[in-house]
Every structure is written in structure tokens, then in C-alpha cells.
Amino acid sequence: MEEITTEEALRRIAVGSRLYDVREQGEWDDVHAPQATLVPMSELSERWTEIQPTDEPAIIVCHSGMRSARVVAALEQSGVPAVNLAGGMVAWEAAGAPVERADAQRERGHEH
């Protein structure tokens, strides 16, 4: 299974790769990458076809990289090219990549 850094993920997203977050709704609501699409791991068996790679494999992220690694393995077994974002959202935030937070959304009046 291929793992990529946040910096590599940002480079790939800039040229068209898609980022999928497999955490649960509450985790997503707390903080997420604005470029990501939420497909919770708990719903993966029904929704895996929503994960659409482009010319590049889909990038899968979770909190720290463990769940996303399991999702990448499952997707690859189903024939869907995917890579794991090493370190998950922890690494994403540590690298200074953009995030959206629930508290910031509330401040702007966008309750979700």
C-alpha cells in the first residue's frame, strides 16, 4: 500500500486528485480538510463506489492513518486505486494544511 505525506497530497489535489475522509460525522464536524469528501468508514460497504479516482489514485485520510490504511486495502481489493495519507488529519494539521473547524463555521453562522 502506498502512503503519501501531506505535502504530496496537497500537490496531487492541486492537479486533480480527490481527497476522501473516512472518519465519522462528529470527527468531520470538529475539523476537516476543505478539499475532502466525507465517506465514513462505517458506511463504506454501501458507499465505496462514491470514491472515484481521477488519473491519480484517490487519497484517503482519517484521524491518524490507521482506519484509512484499512480502507485503502479494501478499496485496492475492489480494484479502486487509492493511497493512504500518512499520519491522517494529525499530520495534515501539523503541516499547516488548510482546515475547516466547527467553531469557525458557527462563528460565520453556518451551523452544520
Side-chain angles (χ1 to χ4, degrees), residues 65-106:
M66 300 300 286
R67 283 176 283 180
S68 53
R70 294 202 315 260
V71 169
V72 168
L75 289 170
E76 287 179 337
Q77 286 182 343
S78 299
V80 178
V83 297
N84 187 31
L85 190 112
M89 283 302 297
V90 172
W92 181 270
E93 282 194 87
V99 296
E100 291 184 356
R101 295 184 181 282
D103 53 359
Q105 290 171 351
R106 280 193 289 275

Side-chain angles (χ1 to χ4, degrees), residues 15-104:
V15 296
S17 288
R18 295 192 177 132
L19 177 65
Y20 294 91
D21 192 323
V22 296
R23 298 173 303 152
E24 297 303 313
Q25 185 71 54
E27 294 172 286
W28 167 270
D29 290 344
D30 287 341
V31 63
H32 62 270
Q35 308 93 321
T37 299
L38 179 64
V39 180
M41 189 169 124
S42 62
E43 300 173 14
L44 190 66
S45 61
E46 299 89 38
R47 296 182 57 193
W48 71 272
T49 57
E50 293 176 35
I51 298 177
Q52 301 291 323
T54 56
D55 289 342
E56 293 281 328
I59 303 166
I60 311 299
V61 65
C62 67
H63 177 71
S64 64
M66 300 300 286
R67 283 176 283 180
S68 53
R70 294 202 315 260
V71 169
V72 168
L75 289 170
E76 287 179 337
Q77 286 182 343
S78 299
V80 178
V83 297
N84 187 31
L85 190 112
M89 283 302 297
V90 172
W92 181 270
E93 282 194 87
V99 296
E100 291 184 356
R101 295 184 181 282
D103 53 359

